[in-house]
Amino acid sequence: MESYFLPAERLGEFVGHLAKFGKIYRCEQTESGPRIKLVQEKDYGEWNFPAVRTDEPAKYLFIKAKRKIAEYFDDKWRKITIEEEPKVIIGLKGCDLAAIKIWDKVFREDEQYKDPFYIAARENALLVGADCTGITPYCFCNLLGNGPYPAEGEFDLSLSPVEGGFVLFVGTERGKKALEGFSLSPAPAEALQKIESRRRELARKLDEQNAKYKTDTSWRELVEKNPDSPAWAKHGATCVACAACTYVCPTCFCFQIYDTVRPDGKYERFIALDSCKYPRFSFMAGGLNPRGKLVERFKHRYNHKFFHYHWRYEIYACTGCGRCIENCMGAIDMRETLKSVEVMKETAKTEA
Amino acid sequence: MPETIDNIYYPLPAKVVEIIDETPTIKTYRFRMEEPFTFRAGQFVQLTVPGIGEAPFTPSSKPGTSEELEITILRAGYVTDYLHKRVKVGDVLGIRGPFGKGYPMEKMKGHEVLVIGGGVGLAPLRACLYALFENIDDYKRVSIKYGAKTPNDLVFRYQYEEWAKMPKTDLKLTIDRPYPGWSGTVGVVTVLLDKENGFDVDVNDAYVVSCGPEIMLKFVTYKLLDIGFSPDRIYLSMNRRMSCGVGMCHRCNVGPYYLCKDGPDMCYAKIMNYPNVFS
């Protein structure tokens, strides 16, 4: 992979160069934690680099909690060209970049149906990844085969902080194009080695942190083969169906379409993010509800992420960012639940 | 480079040209589209009641390409309640679709077809019947079993005579409880699968397509298995709550299958081992 050295003092110039592509959004360490911020030109050169992923997932730059998808019956909305504002998103960690790949499968790469709104947002975003330089107690990307750094194929450009600046990796043709006209010298071998060893060190820390959650059986098999495990009720017991896990999840995308009438008589159609945790998510006219019980909905989220999604696309719809663990008021830990499914399966076997 | 893409969420205008009262709670709406609309038997559409919302229905009219389309609707929830109360001939509603795979018409060729309906569930099956009748030579036989609560709840009554006259076709009806003036079979639709009630379909040859309330589908399935049908011959119209219709919003699944994209008519063999097939 092409790599260059970006001296710290040229950061502002570099960001300014990328700004030709679009508005600059950047993951920054703020007083209230790591957040995604819209950056003004005067601040391009000032980057309070966050060690870990932001509190909010990057998905809200690609969808909105509520978005208009049509006015009917207005032919203008039948086929649409969406002029989405181009964005440069700087500092996306490996988990958020992996999530974009997961969304692509559903909204962009389906052979039959394509979501024009997601595609517009996605294709107008330049993804600039960044290495993690620390981990949170909730991080478990290693359990999903990911690492605390941008994975190849998932970013256009990527920055790894090193002494005196950054190493800039070029991931795609688009990244290369965005860089055109900005000359940099190749990254010194020593810097690349340092990045390698930091990545290894962080991966080791993750391994250590998550060793107790490792399962011998794949998560897909655990979820698919154990729908009746007592672990679901045990760990779902403190779930209050607040849906925080799904809203902070970088991969959760379930939505609902709804219509309204404007005062001028125009009919408008919106998409709003929904959550499988809500009792009425699958509630039908007539009163039937396939997932009326909370424990069924609790299990459903695991099913979707580790079984259904893997069945359809052969990847998990989870990137190990740990936001659902961090934000759960019921103190539910996905890693613990899955480990528990395995342990209880073994216990049942021994007892039998 | 901005690209122009079909908006999968945009409904096409569909004008109501006729409303047929089928039963006190079921009406058939005939729509005229601005341009020809094509669907296969069993595929469904999202019907928009402007400003109120969408609900999924499988058309009950003849599959293929036409400017006209019929949908038979039971008053059951928010959208259908509004539809029944307020929508009149001349109103313009919206249609998105068609979605889903539909009935396995090709697979059933050369075989007997057992059509089992309950209540408004006969609506999607009528599209299937039209398709069967159109190519009746391709099928060994068509056997229709249909049940409703009372004689007044039977839909498409004005067509039974015509169906019964079709070659290689028989139609058996039942109602849930005895009713003044009803001399036919009494009992839920599964009684029509009893030999005593003249059931003579070859369980080793026939394909079954069934649509009705979930509780009916459940007992029909168990009964079919009981009398010797193999799960891979049973197709159930598993209509659940759907919003997008295109496999994105993730609420209509049974196991890993999306009923909107992989159904709504699901082969029982595919879903039988997953939890909550019948809630």
Side-chain angles (χ1 to χ4, degrees), chain A residues 25-36:
Chain A
Y25 289 81
R26 195 162 62 187
C27 302
E28 310 229 347
Q29 185 63 38
T30 72
E31 276 174 19
S32 65
R35 315 301 297 257
I36 300 175

Side-chain angles (χ1 to χ4, degrees), chain A residues 117-132:
Chain A
F117 305 93
Y118 175 74
I119 290 177
R122 174 74 174 81
E123 290 180 358
N124 282 299
L126 186 74
L127 306 178
V128 185
D131 273 41
C132 292

Side-chain angles (χ1 to χ4, degrees), chain B residues 14-276:
Chain B
K15 191 175 185 176
V16 179
V17 289
E18 192 186 351
I19 301 174
I20 304 159
D21 284 313
E22 299 283 353
T23 78
T25 54
I26 302 171
K27 290 178 186 188
T28 295
Y29 295 80
R30 189 140 57 80
F31 296 98
R32 183 162 296 136
M33 309 287 289
E34 282 173 1
E35 50 205 83
F37 185 85
T38 305
F39 73 99
R40 294 194 304 272
Q43 282 193 304
F44 73 97
V45 299
Q46 283 283 8
L47 179 68
T48 301
V49 179
I52 298 297
E54 280 187 321
F57 301 98
T58 304
S60 54
S61 53
K62 195 173 165 184
T65 304
S66 170
E67 266 152 28
E68 290 206 334
L69 181 76
E70 281 171 24
I71 305 179
T72 304
I73 296 168
L74 169 76
R75 185 170 164 180
Y78 178 63
V79 172
T80 54
D81 192 50
Y82 187 94
L83 194 73
H84 271 246
K85 277 191 199 152
R86 307 273 180 86
V87 170
K88 302 175 297 295
V89 169
D91 288 352
V92 176
L93 310 190
I95 281 177
R96 225 162 34 94
F99 301 120
K101 290 205 161 91
Y103 293 114
M105 304 310 295
E106 283 301 313
K107 227 183 212 173
M108 299 193 295
K109 279 183 178 167
H111 294 275
E112 290 189 30
V113 181
L114 173 58
V115 178
I116 307 172
V120 75
L122 193 62
L125 293 171
R126 187 170 76 164
C128 180
L129 288 174
Y130 281 127
L132 290 167
F133 293 156
E134 191 165 66
N135 298 300
I136 192 76
D137 293 341
D138 292 341
Y139 303 92
K140 263 193 198 162
R141 175 186 166 192
V142 176
S143 196
I144 311 163
K145 314 288 180 194
Y146 176 51
K149 279 183 190 147
T150 74
N152 298 329
D153 294 306
L154 295 161
V155 294
F156 314 133
R157 268 168 284 177
Y158 44 91
Q159 285 183 301
Y160 297 164
E161 206 174 315
E162 176 194 334
W163 292 353
K165 274 191 208 147
M166 287 301 297
K168 304 196 282 189
T169 302
D170 63 276
L171 167 68
K172 289 259 166 29
L173 304 173
T174 181
I175 58 162
D176 288 359
R177 277 178 289 276
Y179 195 87
W182 177 262
S183 55
T185 314
V186 173
V188 290
V189 75
T190 46
V191 302
L192 297 178
L193 306 177
D194 288 330
K195 286 219 163 64
E196 302 84 86
N197 288 315
F199 184 77
D200 58 352
V201 171
D202 181 355
V203 299
N204 296 311
D205 178 76
Y207 274 91
V208 186
V209 289
S210 185
C211 184
E214 202 188 70
I215 185 99
M216 180 209 103
L217 290 181
K218 177 171 165 176
F219 288 104
V220 161
T221 305
Y222 294 166
K223 177 91 179 191
L224 290 168
L225 296 173
D226 215 30
I227 60 175
F229 275 93
S230 144
D232 63 352
R233 292 299 179 98
I234 304 171
Y235 283 79
L236 306 172
S237 291
M238 299 287 301
N239 294 281
R240 283 192 178 174
R241 178 159 179 180
M242 297 167 183
S243 187
C244 69
V246 294
M248 290 179 183
C249 76
H250 200 79
R251 68 188 70 232
C252 64
N253 71 301
V254 174
Y257 293 97
Y258 290 135
L259 295 173
C260 64
K261 226 179 151 196
D262 307 318
D265 316 294
M266 288 301 301
C267 178
Y268 184 61
K270 281 191 176 170
I271 54 172
M272 58 193 274
N273 292 323
Y274 296 118
N276 306 325

Side-chain angles (χ1 to χ4, degrees), chain A residues 69 72 74 77-81 110 115 253 255 257 269 274 280-281 283 291 296 304 308 312, chain B residues 4-7 9-10 35 48 51 54 93 241 243 248-251 253 255-256 258 261-262 276:
Chain A
I69 49 170
Y72 56 89
D74 183 341
W77 286 83
R78 188 171 168 180
K79 280 185 190 293
I80 37 176
T81 312
D110 186 277
D115 184 312
F253 53 74
F255 61 84
I257 297 171
R269 174 158 291 177
D274 203 345
R280 290 181 77 93
F281 183 67
F283 181 87
R291 286 184 286 272
E296 290 300 326
H304 187 190
H308 304 166
R312 201 171 281 271
Chain B
T4 303
I5 315 174
D6 280 330
N7 185 355
Y9 306 113
Y10 184 83
E35 50 205 83
T48 301
E54 280 187 321
L93 310 190
R241 178 159 179 180
S243 187
M248 290 179 183
C249 76
H250 200 79
R251 68 188 70 232
N253 71 301
Y258 290 135
K261 226 179 151 196
D262 307 318
N276 306 325

